Amino acid sequence: MSPFAPNAPITLIRSAARYAQPASRTLHHRPLHRNSARAFCATVSLRKKQDEVNGKAEHLKQGSRKAAGKTSTLRSVAVEAQRSRSFVKSRGRTRFIDPDAETKTVTAYCAAETYDIATAARLVRAQGYELDPIQTGLYPQVLHIQTSDRPSEVKDFQQGDIFIFPSGTVVTWNVREREALKLVQQVLPAAAEGSHLELLETEDLDYLEDGSRESSEVVGDTIVLGTKPEQAADSPTSSTIETGPASPEIDTILAKIAFSSGLARSTKLAVLETLLSNYQNSTREIPNMLAAKHTRSPFTRSFILRKTGELLSIRAQLNLYSELTDSMPDLFWDSRHELGLGGYYDDVGRALDVGVRIKVLNEKIGFAQEIASVLREQLSEKHGLRLEWAIIALIAVEVVLEFWRHYEERKERDDPESTQALLRAYLEGLAKEDTKPKVL
């Protein structure tokens, strides 16, 4: 019989049974051996099926392990790709921000000439804000607070930074507008000197946080804020020994302060530009009036002095009483040079054309000052002319009085009934009596 015949397992079992038992018993118990063979075959089949099931289960386990490994690998690749994604694109020499990048807003508010930082700190502390939460140590040069968590407002939840500068400017990063306006219009006016809420000036920029960059920059009108921690050096440098290890969060806040200072400078300049524009509107018709023929100047002395004072105030705020024309504020002189805070300040200035605007503003002030000079000269001429006419009138009065005096004297001299004539006649009579000879 061929080993591959259908009854091969039964034949093998029968042969084994013959060797194990006598022949008589084998013939007598043949039906029992057939049942045993069937049971054995069923057991073998069950073992084979169990092995197949175990093999499939092991295969599935290995496949799931591979799939899980593959999934985790894809997830890590996606995270790494997101981290290494560059938000800054370039087209030729033009650099721009990826339009699909999610940006946030940084806003500057200028509502006063100056802020008393000590008073402002007391006011914001009363509102529940924590002063200098990151421990930058820059108080009182700048006041830093953070917006509080609001778990009940999940849909409208944001957390950001607020910087209050002594120059009368507040800069907010990722802060709701209503919270910023409440701080500027309701809380801080008590600490303001020269408050001008009616001339509230605001300026916005977009920013995004890039975790793949250690440094920050300004691309167009968007701030790219690098939040990647700097690589630690093998050996501590002298600056690290002196100042201690720097926290990445502190470095990010310092970068925000640098950008905020540049944005506050631009907003402060915008206020002066608005003041000068209002001044020019109020004096727009003066050159035409001066150029018109046979037109009497309607400007009074008080009007000319008031306009001159307004112009001098704008020029003083631009060049004397603020840091608008400084190359670098005192805030950045003590900062670590590797942070490049002065460069961030200059980047915002270049992006917002602060230098050009200061130059143009000074030129406009110079032109307005020429008009004020012409008005002052005209006022001086009018005043001098009045003095001359007054002197001429006084001289004329004096001449008239002198003529009157001479006339009165001549009239009294010619009148025989006048006191002078009678006195003269009396004296003449006495003289004649003295000349007569005396009779003894």
Side-chain angles (χ1 to χ4, degrees), residues 212-413:
S212 63
R213 301 167 58 98
E214 296 181 358
S215 60
S216 305
E217 64 174 338
V218 179
V219 180
D221 57 351
T222 303
I223 299 174
V224 181
L225 195 64
T227 58
K228 181 180 179 181
E230 295 183 359
Q231 298 294 332
D234 295 336
S235 59
T237 59
S238 59
S239 61
T240 306
I241 295 175
E242 294 175 357
T243 62
S247 170
E249 190 173 6
I250 292 181
D251 293 347
T252 302
I253 293 298
L254 292 177
K256 286 185 177 181
I257 291 175
F259 287 120
S260 300
S261 181
L263 187 58
R265 179 191 185 196
S266 177
T267 312
K268 188 74 174 179
L269 183 60
V271 172
L272 298 182
E273 290 172 343
T274 302
L275 291 175
L276 184 60
S277 178
N278 295 338
Y279 176 87
Q280 290 176 337
N281 291 332
S282 64
T283 59
R284 185 181 299 275
E285 298 299 327
I286 292 179
N288 296 331
M289 292 181 180
L290 295 176
K293 295 181 179 180
H294 309 292
T295 302
R296 186 176 180 181
S297 177
F299 308 114
T300 61
R301 181 182 180 85
S302 61
F303 173 81
I304 295 175
L305 292 178
R306 185 172 68 254
K307 291 301 176 183
T308 302
E310 290 178 6
L311 186 62
L312 291 177
S313 175
I314 295 174
R315 190 164 194 173
Q317 291 183 51
L318 176 62
N319 297 297
L320 294 179
Y321 305 142
S322 65
E323 297 180 345
L324 291 174
T325 56
D326 294 347
S327 59
M328 183 180 297
D330 298 337
L331 180 65
F332 306 125
W333 284 109
D334 298 332
S335 63
R336 305 198 311 275
H337 65 87
E338 65 268 14
L339 294 179
L341 301 184
Y344 300 159
Y345 176 82
D346 294 335
D347 289 344
V348 174
R350 282 191 296 269
L352 299 176
D353 296 329
V354 173
V356 177
R357 289 163 59 192
I358 290 176
K359 182 179 178 181
V360 172
L361 190 61
N362 272 319
E363 292 177 354
K364 290 182 178 180
I365 290 176
F367 175 73
Q369 191 170 8
E370 290 181 4
I371 297 178
S373 299
V374 172
L375 291 178
R376 288 196 301 270
E377 291 176 2
Q378 188 181 23
L379 180 63
S380 299
E381 290 178 359
K382 290 176 63 176
H383 184 66
L385 184 61
R386 289 176 181 175
L387 290 178
E388 291 176 0
W389 279 110
I391 292 172
I392 292 173
L394 290 175
I395 293 175
V397 170
E398 185 178 0
V399 170
V400 170
L401 291 177
E402 189 68 22
F403 275 110
W404 178 259
R405 186 177 64 82
H406 284 288
Y407 172 75
E408 290 292 332
E409 288 179 357
R410 186 173 180 177
K411 184 179 178 181
E412 289 181 0
R413 188 172 60 248

Side-chain angles (χ1 to χ4, degrees), residues 415-430:
D415 186 8
E417 299 297 332
S418 63
T419 303
Q420 186 177 2
L422 293 175
L423 181 60
R424 189 184 300 110
Y426 176 73
L427 293 175
E428 288 178 356
L430 290 177

Side-chain angles (χ1 to χ4, degrees), residues 116-144:
D116 184 355
I117 293 298
T119 305
R122 177 174 54 82
L123 293 173
V124 297
R125 188 186 291 112
Q127 295 295 319
Y129 293 101
E130 180 184 358
L131 302 182
D132 199 10
I134 311 299
Q135 302 299 321
T136 58
L138 294 178
Y139 178 85
Q141 294 175 312
V142 62
L143 181 60
H144 173 221

Side-chain angles (χ1 to χ4, degrees), residues 163-176:
F163 303 99
I164 303 173
F165 291 91
S167 60
T169 309
V170 177
V171 182
T172 63
W173 293 70
N174 194 34
V175 177
R176 287 180 294 272

Side-chain angles (χ1 to χ4, degrees), residues 26-92:
T26 302
L27 293 174
H28 182 74
H29 294 284
R30 180 169 303 188
L32 182 62
H33 288 305
R34 287 180 181 177
N35 294 334
S36 301
R38 291 175 182 176
F40 183 78
C41 291
T43 303
V44 172
S45 300
L46 289 174
R47 288 181 179 178
K48 287 183 179 181
K49 290 181 180 180
Q50 186 67 29
D51 293 339
E52 290 178 359
V53 171
N54 293 336
K56 289 181 179 180
E58 186 67 23
H59 180 71
L60 290 175
K61 289 182 180 180
Q62 292 179 359
S64 61
R65 291 173 183 173
K66 291 181 180 180
K70 187 175 182 180
T71 303
S72 61
T73 305
L74 290 176
R75 185 180 294 110
S76 62
V77 169
V79 172
E80 187 64 26
Q82 182 67 21
R83 290 179 179 176
S84 62
R85 176 186 176 187
S86 177
F87 295 104
V88 181
K89 306 296 182 181
S90 60
R91 184 177 300 160

